[in-house]
Amino acid sequence: MDDEGFRLPKEDDRSAGDGTRCVHAGLPEPTPGAPFLPGPVFAAPYHLDPWQGPAAAPNGYGRPDNPTRRLLEAAIGELEGGDCRVFASGQAAITGLLLAVLRAGDTVVLPADGYFPVRAFATDTLAGNGVRVLFAPTAGPYPDFTGVRLVLVETPANPGLDVVDLPALAERAHTAGALLAVDNTTATPLGQRPLDLGANLVVASGAKALTGHSDLLLGYLATRSAPLLEQATAWRTVTGAVPGAFDAWLAHRSLATLDLRLARQTANAEALARLLAARPDVTGVRWPGLPDDPAYPVASRQMRRMPGVLSFDLGGAERVARFLDAARLVGAATSFGGLHTTADRRAQWGDDTPPGFVRLSCGVEDTVDLVADVTAALDAAT
Ligand SMILES: *Cc1c(COP(=O)(O)O)cnc(C)c1O
């Protein structure tokens, strides 16, 4: 088995459709008698060649080396259009990037409205390490990037779903000598290819729509820069935030259906966004695919498909609870991107959102059933 994985030739990468690319991503060359996707390799140490030691084979010890993980990295790398390293979680990938790249005295720009634990990490740990931390709202305005080492954006941002024009921001960052990293969790590599849009790095949680079954934690980083890849790899090897072989295998198995899952999730999000926007008892509906959403002009230009996540406000915590209690197809749960439709009142986690603010993640249920259920639950909650 070629454990570096089967890569579609470059020209196929561009011409094949999303479904085709997902099904084939990272698979080894067909070998008679071998499975399509090899099962997980469980190993801490591997047998070594007594004479050559670790130089003889790519697998010496499980922290740096695992063939199941390498196949998953080949797969995600193909979809993002760069080289990939997977981590134990999205937070491991994002904090790893920040800690590996930033030194005392450096300045970093982070989203003011992005994933809350990243902001908490920046004010607690990064600032404590002597890094200057600036926050900018995803939709702007952004500060002057002179003297900035790294700009990290989330687009669409979780949970507010604002977007930023990536080619324009990349140009500004690069003119100032800053690196641009994009958190691609909400979009997934099928929704948006930040490396094609000028970003130096992609980071993301693989626990959300990328793998979509609500059964694993995963993070990744992707880049076309050999030095950045080397830095991230060295960081991961010494800090050890690697996913286990079984989770890596499950993630790869789930990746094959990404195109199908997203297609249904986007269709469901569109139907629910229209339903919610038309109701007088729901305010602040945000979905970047709605033509009158503030994010629509940029999102429709740079995104290849719209996310299955939307947000809105039901006015208070109690009404959200009544809605969730009445809904039969909307599970009360955090996270998003899974097969089952879920909704989360973000303020219950200490996120700085209004008490009635809801992030709703569309699953792959039939659209007609979901629309009927959400309508009935909202009626019951009024
Ligand atoms: C969930 C999430 C993360 C963190 O990922 P984990 O896998 O939970 O560590 C980071 N960024 C965004 C946008 C997320 O939604």
Side-chain angles (χ1 to χ4, degrees):
M1 186 190 91
D2 168 19
D3 61 16
E4 291 313 315
F6 168 57
R7 289 184 81 102
L8 287 169
K10 270 282 165 269
E11 58 275 16
D12 291 359
D13 255 358
R14 304 220 164 263
S15 62
D18 285 354
T20 308
R21 295 192 306 123
C22 286
V23 166
H24 288 279
L27 295 188
E29 295 281 7
T31 305
F36 287 73
L37 175 65
V41 174
F42 299 114
Y46 304 81
H47 289 295
L48 292 179
D49 181 290
W51 301 99
Q52 293 186 65
N59 302 321
Y61 184 58
R63 180 152 40 78
D65 308 321
N66 183 281
T68 310
R69 209 159 70 206
R70 283 199 296 275
L71 289 180
L72 175 63
E73 289 172 342
I76 298 174
E78 283 174 30
L79 299 180
E80 287 286 4
D83 287 305
C84 171
R85 291 294 176 268
V86 291
F87 288 76
S89 68
Q91 280 301 94
I94 295 166
T95 58
L97 167 69
L98 296 172
L99 290 167
V101 165
L102 298 169
R103 298 281 172 270
D106 283 346
T107 301
V108 64
V109 178
L110 297 174
D113 49 351
Y115 190 60
F116 191 70
V118 173
R119 288 185 272 150
F121 170 79
T123 40
D124 297 346
T125 306
L126 286 183
N129 287 354
V131 174
R132 193 164 149 256
V133 181
L134 304 177
F135 291 102
T138 298
Y142 284 82
D144 184 5
F145 291 156
T146 309
V148 170
R149 172 83 179 113
L150 174 72
V151 179
L152 169 66
V153 295
E154 235 180 82
T155 181
N158 170 22
L161 302 175
D162 269 327
V163 301
V164 57
D165 184 330
L166 287 177
L169 199 73
E171 193 181 322
R172 275 194 57 192
H174 296 157
T175 303
L179 294 169
L180 177 65
V182 176
D183 185 327
N184 208 24
T185 303
T186 305
T188 84
L190 294 194
Q192 172 173 277
R193 302 233 307 180
L195 300 177
D196 284 350
L197 299 170
N200 305 89
L201 293 141
V202 171
V203 285
S205 169
K208 316 292 171 55
L210 185 79
T211 60
H213 288 65
S214 309
D215 55 7
L216 60 87
L217 291 181
L218 182 78
Y220 70 89
L221 173 151
T223 182
R224 290 172 186 165
S225 155
L228 286 172
L229 185 75
E230 201 176 311
Q231 226 178 332
T233 309
W235 176 270
R236 189 187 64 177
T237 297
V238 295
T239 59
V242 290
F246 187 68
D247 282 2
W249 177 82
L250 261 186
H252 200 160
R253 183 184 196 266
S254 302
L255 214 50
T257 55
L258 179 59
D259 172 61
L260 292 172
R261 288 184 279 111
L262 290 181
R264 177 62 68 83
Q265 287 172 322
T266 302
N268 283 345
E270 175 162 16
L272 288 191
R274 291 188 191 285
L275 164 76
L276 294 166
R279 284 187 71 112
D281 56 349
V282 178
T283 60
V285 177
R286 292 298 308 269
W287 187 60
L290 280 179
D292 56 357
D293 189 280
Y296 182 82
V298 171
S300 55
R301 203 162 60 232
Q302 77 185 7
M303 296 188 68
R304 303 172 70 242
R305 54 174 91 196
M306 295 297 165
V309 186
L310 52 131
S311 62
F312 53 92
D313 200 312
L314 290 185
E318 205 189 303
R319 183 138 179 265
V320 176
R322 280 205 302 273
F323 166 70
L324 290 173
D325 201 37
R328 298 174 58 209
L329 298 180
V330 184
T334 192
S335 196
F336 57 93
L339 297 168
H340 317 85
T341 295
T342 59
D344 192 18
R345 192 176 72 78
R346 286 303 303 162
Q348 71 188 331
W349 301 95
D351 216 341
D352 50 357
T353 50
F357 177 92
V358 176
R359 181 187 63 209
L360 190 143
S361 171
C362 295
V364 300
E365 299 89 349
D366 289 285
T367 307
V368 58
D369 295 336
L370 209 50
V371 166
D373 188 58
V374 169
T375 303
L378 284 171
D379 289 345
T382 300

